[in-house]
Amino acid sequence: MHIQYENVRGLNPFLDEYINADDRLMSFYDYGYDDESIKKRAKELAARSFNRGSLKDVLYSFNKKMGAGEETFTQIGKLTSERSLMIVGGQQAGLFTGPLYTVHKVISILAHADKAEKDLGVPVIPLFWIAGEDHDIDEINHIFVYYKQDLKRFAMKERNDLKIPASNRNLNREEAKKVLLSTIRHLQETQDTKIIASDWGKLIDESKTYVDFFGKLIHHLFKGTGIVLMDAQDEAVRKLERPFFNELIERNGKLRLAFEEQAKRFKTAGFGEPVSIDPRLSHLFLDDHNERTLLYSDDREGAFTNKEKTRSWTIDELHHIAETDPAKLSNNVVSRPVMQEWLLPVLGFISGAGEIKYWGTLSSVFREFDFKIPPLIPRMQFTLVDRGALKRAGKRDLSIRKTIEQGASEKRDEWYGWNRPADYDPVFEKAEEEFESLMEKMAANLREHASTDVDHERFQRMGKGVLDRYKRQVDRQVNRTLAPSMNHFNYVNTVLRPQDGLQERTINVLPFLNGYGTDVIRQLTARVLENGPDPKKHTVVIL
């Protein structure tokens, strides 16, 4: 394994501006993400108090259920110190961990927690929260792997009209194992193929929900690293959050106004509208008859309703739910960050570009509750380069960095133009014209000198058909000659820039575990911890 760091730019102009600490953009955040910002944040957190004892118990229970190793419980034990802090990040519970960026986020959390603990001399816990409250099954029920020079999609069959949180949605174990085996069949068999099928199959059998399987698989892939998991939908977590849910309900009008005003400023500054600006949106969900229902405020009635206004709840009724059954409440992208700030001693938040963008609309919301937005540390971006892609890129003189930025399609088309034989289309076009002219003359002569009712047009069509078959045969021969080289370009493009985007946004970890060993992620994590995290660079991993 060889790691190199590249300046890959232009894929996300917003992220480029943030990484370069553009003054106009950074005015929407309370901290930068440099070492000084982290130190400043640590001092601020030292003056605040958190319910670390109860949090420790909740995390211990959940991670034990997920099959965590001793290293994870050692990390959780650090919460006995009132000085303990956290590097935090989170993601949905994607099938087989979803796209690679989930794995990369875990690595980023571990690396930054390790660095911060060494720099600050205080306990820093790496925490990954699972968005178990998320109900959008279409976002988590499928994966992509690369097969030869093509992408293949594999998905669980699920009803997408049910708004059931991932923590509560039962995993169809037999279906999941079928999807796993179907995926594996499209990978080249290696010494690790059967091990993966067996190990992952056992984890599926041990799991009841999507979150169960996700959590167990993360601990399996990151065994020995100490990563700590938290399910945002865990009932025990919801009980800890009860006091702040009451605040979000009581001060909902101020929350909505703070968000609306800041979001409009963010949009006016030219950074877009990452979260819809709806003055009625409460930014809270309620489990209503097993359906996760987004609540809207009805200030005239002093109540909350569903979108259709067919159901309503008074403020007192929501307070009662928060006190007696807080697991029925959950947050959206606006209220979740401020809930996280209240619950956890967040030293830094590992963020993707989209997260950084929508957090730019939240500083007024944080100030409403006397908080500051924590340092938003850009998630490390990785591209994994398998030996096949590296070899083919070398043969076709493709730069790995430029392929990550631009893809290989333009280079492929350019190569094809240079290597395709001289244009032979005009040869066939001229032959067809001459053939049609000859056939017309023959038909005229025969009509004039012979008494016949032969269908001349039929024979003309047959002759044109022969020419068409002749041209197709030539095309096939030319394509057979060029196909191996064209496939080199296509393979590199599929692995390094699938669907005209970053690898980590599409491809699943499975092909790399299968091809380079079940411990390849742990090896990569160890190397990143050894080198230290660099959120400004794109990490290229040559396997």
Side-chain angles (χ1 to χ4, degrees):
M1 180 184 292
H2 169 71
I3 295 178
Q4 59 194 50
Y5 299 93
E6 300 281 0
N7 287 310
V8 174
R9 295 290 182 265
L11 299 178
N12 189 315
F14 177 86
L15 183 59
D16 290 346
E17 286 188 70
Y18 186 83
I19 286 175
N20 293 328
D22 175 81
D23 289 340
R24 194 168 60 93
L25 175 58
M26 298 310 291
S27 67
F28 288 93
Y29 305 92
D30 292 317
Y31 294 95
Y33 60 90
D34 58 321
D35 290 347
E36 285 304 312
S37 294
I38 298 296
K39 290 177 182 177
K40 184 178 177 183
R41 171 68 172 182
K43 288 180 180 179
E44 181 205 332
L45 291 176
R48 291 175 54 189
S49 61
F50 297 88
N51 191 355
R52 288 178 172 89
S54 296
L55 188 60
K56 173 176 168 286
D57 294 340
V58 169
L59 294 177
Y60 184 92
S61 176
F62 180 73
N63 283 272
K64 188 173 182 61
K65 177 184 170 186
M66 293 298 107
E70 283 305 313
E71 295 82 0
T72 291
F73 298 115
T74 298
Q75 291 286 355
I76 294 171
K78 292 176 182 179
L79 283 167
T80 55
S81 169
E82 289 300 313
R83 301 172 67 209
S84 60
L85 305 171
M86 289 179 166
I87 293 291
V88 179
Q91 203 66 48
Q92 295 160 303
L95 181 66
F96 307 152
T97 73
L100 274 164
Y101 58 61
T102 299
V103 168
H104 300 165
K105 186 169 280 188
V106 177
I107 295 174
S108 300
I109 292 168
L110 288 163
H112 281 283
D114 181 70
K115 181 180 186 302
E117 185 164 283
K118 292 173 181 174
D119 290 348
L120 300 175
V122 299
V124 181
I125 301 154
L127 179 82
F128 182 98
W129 53 256
I130 308 166
E133 73 270 49
D134 200 298
H135 61 265
D136 193 342
I137 189 64
D138 288 338
E139 291 190 3
I140 65 170
N141 72 336
H142 64 277
I143 66 163
F144 285 94
V145 298
Y146 60 92
Y147 174 67
K148 296 181 179 178
Q149 59 268 5
D150 296 317
L151 280 177
K152 293 287 184 182
R153 183 181 187 272
F154 300 90
M156 296 278 289
K157 296 175 183 176
E158 291 280 2
R159 287 184 58 182
N160 61 6
D161 60 325
L162 301 176
K163 295 180 180 180
I164 301 174
S167 292
N168 301 340
R169 188 180 278 265
N170 289 333
L171 179 73
N172 183 326
R173 297 187 184 101
E174 292 308 312
E175 175 79 7
K177 286 191 281 189
K178 285 179 183 178
V179 173
L180 175 62
L181 292 177
S182 295
T183 306
I184 287 175
R185 289 191 193 103
H186 283 80
L187 304 176
Q188 183 177 352
E189 186 167 357
T190 68
Q191 62 183 7
D192 293 293
T193 306
K194 290 181 180 178
I195 296 173
I196 293 170
S198 175
D199 289 350
W200 289 30
K202 289 175 184 176
L203 294 178
I204 291 170
D205 284 335
E206 295 169 4
S207 303
K208 181 180 178 182
T209 68
Y210 273 80
V211 166
D212 288 346
F213 180 40
F214 179 90
K216 290 174 183 291
L217 186 52
I218 289 291
H219 273 311
H220 177 74
L221 294 177
F222 287 91
K223 184 178 180 180
T225 64
I227 189 66
V228 178
L229 302 181
M230 182 182 86
D231 177 11
Q233 183 67 13
D234 188 343
E235 286 193 22
V237 172
R238 288 286 180 258
K239 288 178 181 177
L240 294 183
E241 295 173 337
R242 182 162 34 204
F244 199 68
F245 269 124
N246 277 316
E247 283 203 55
L248 291 172
I249 293 164
E250 189 65 32
R251 299 165 64 179
N252 196 260
K254 292 181 178 180
L255 162 68
R256 288 182 283 114
L257 184 60
F259 167 72
E260 182 184 356
E261 291 177 348
Q262 183 73 358
K264 285 179 178 177
R265 284 193 290 269
F266 193 75
K267 184 177 181 179
T268 300
F271 298 117
E273 188 178 326
V275 182
S276 296
I277 302 172
D278 184 341
R280 291 185 55 239
L281 198 60
S282 75
H283 308 293
L284 293 171
F285 284 90
L286 175 67
D287 182 339
D288 182 34
H289 296 93
N290 298 318
E291 287 273 325
R292 190 168 180 248
T293 302
L294 186 57
L295 298 180
Y296 290 79
S297 178
D298 187 344
D299 288 333
R300 291 173 300 176
E301 301 296 328
F304 295 84
T305 72
N306 59 3
K307 187 175 183 179
E308 298 77 17
K309 293 189 175 183
T310 56
R311 299 273 292 149
S312 66
W313 298 264
T314 65
I315 291 177
D316 287 342
E317 285 173 330
L318 287 187
H319 279 310
H320 180 72
I321 291 170
E323 287 297 326
T324 60
D325 198 359
K328 285 191 172 183
L329 292 167
S330 58
N331 299 292
N332 79 340
V333 295
V334 171
S335 56
R336 182 193 294 138
V338 72
M339 175 66 83
Q340 173 183 279
E341 179 67 14
W342 178 85
L343 180 67
L344 307 174
V346 182
L347 177 63
F349 183 67
I350 304 298
S351 316
E355 289 169 308
I356 293 172
K357 195 167 191 176
Y358 79 71
W359 278 62
T361 67
L362 301 182
S363 60
S364 293
V365 174
F366 272 69
R367 281 193 287 273
E368 177 60 36
F369 295 94
D370 296 322
F371 296 146
K372 289 183 178 180
I373 292 180
L376 304 181
I377 305 169
R379 170 181 56 76
M380 292 181 69
Q381 294 184 317
F382 295 77
T383 294
L384 309 185
V385 184
D386 71 12
R387 289 167 200 155
L390 185 66
K391 181 179 178 181
R392 290 166 174 82
K395 284 186 175 182
R396 302 276 69 88
D397 195 27
L398 292 170
S399 158
I400 297 297
R401 180 183 63 78
K402 288 184 178 178
T403 302
I404 293 169
E405 288 180 339
Q406 304 168 6
S409 299
E410 188 175 327
K411 286 282 188 181
R412 178 197 61 203
D413 296 344
E414 183 181 295
W415 182 92
Y416 182 79
W418 281 106
N419 289 274
R420 185 175 184 268
D423 190 4
Y424 50 80
D425 288 347
V427 175
F428 283 94
E429 290 169 2
K430 184 177 180 182
E432 186 174 330
E433 290 174 4
E434 291 177 351
F435 174 72
E436 288 180 354
S437 176
L438 178 60
M439 289 294 290
E440 288 172 3
K441 289 178 182 178
M442 286 178 63
N445 279 331
L446 288 172
R447 280 194 295 271
E448 184 177 347
H449 300 292
S451 176
T452 176
D453 59 356
V454 172
D455 185 352
H456 299 289
E457 291 184 358
R458 174 171 168 264
F459 284 94
Q460 186 171 346
R461 288 195 299 272
M462 289 171 63
K464 287 181 66 177
V466 171
L467 284 173
D468 288 341
R469 289 196 296 275
Y470 186 8
K471 183 176 184 300
R472 286 198 296 272
Q473 184 64 34
V474 173
D475 287 341
R476 280 195 292 269
Q477 182 61 45
V478 169
N479 288 335
R480 271 197 296 270
T481 303
L482 301 180
S485 295
M486 294 290 285
N487 287 340
H488 288 171
F489 286 100
N490 292 336
Y491 183 90
V492 173
N493 208 52
T494 299
V495 176
L496 303 188
R497 194 172 168 81
Q499 296 185 334
D500 199 31
L502 287 173
Q503 175 196 79
E504 62 184 16
R505 301 202 64 80
T506 301
I507 295 177
N508 181 260
V509 71
L510 253 176
F512 303 101
L513 296 170
N514 180 68
Y516 300 95
T518 56
D519 65 341
V520 68
I521 296 303
R522 291 191 290 276
Q523 290 181 40
L524 175 57
T525 302
R527 290 289 300 277
V528 171
L529 264 65
E530 180 184 338
N531 295 345
D534 188 349
K536 293 185 177 182
K537 297 287 183 70
H538 192 100
T539 306
V540 178
V541 184
I542 311 295
L543 296 169

